[in-house]
Amino acid sequence: MKAHDMTEWHRAQLDAQQAHARDHLDRRTADARTFGTTAPAGDPDDPEMKLWNLGGYWAMLFCIWFAFIAPIVLVLTLWD
C-alpha cells in the first residue's frame, strides 16, 4: 500500500506501531545507558586482547602474502 492510498485507519495503525517501536527503543536505550554507568571498566592491558590483536596482525600479513605474492612465486617456479 502506498502512502497516498492509506485510509485514516491505516494511518492511525501505522502511527501506533511506530510509537510502540519508538517507546520500546527508548526503554532499551535507557536500560543500556543505566548498564553503561554501572558496568565495570575494562582492563586496558588485557593480555588476551593483546594476543588476539597480535594474531590478527600476523593473519593479515599471511593473507596478503598468500593473495599477492604466492601466485607470483608459483608462476616463477613453474616457468622453467
Side-chain angles (χ1 to χ4, degrees):
M1 178 179 296
K2 296 181 180 160
H4 64 278
D5 291 339
M6 284 190 170
T7 63
E8 291 301 320
W9 182 84
H10 287 106
R11 174 56 68 185
Q13 187 173 4
L14 179 62
D15 289 341
Q17 287 175 353
Q18 287 178 343
H20 176 71
R22 190 169 291 121
D23 290 340
H24 179 69
L25 185 62
D26 288 341
R27 283 193 309 265
R28 296 281 309 260
T29 303
D31 291 344
R33 285 188 178 138
T34 303
F35 178 73
T37 58
T38 60
D43 184 14
D45 296 327
D46 184 14
E48 187 174 343
M49 185 58 66
K50 286 182 180 179
L51 179 66
W52 276 102
N53 287 336
L54 185 63
Y57 173 77
W58 289 110
M60 175 200 61
L61 286 180
F62 175 75
C63 290
I64 289 173
W65 177 85
F66 191 78
F68 294 107
I69 299 173
I72 295 170
V73 171
L74 181 67
V75 167
L76 290 178
T77 56
L78 295 178
W79 191 265
D80 290 333

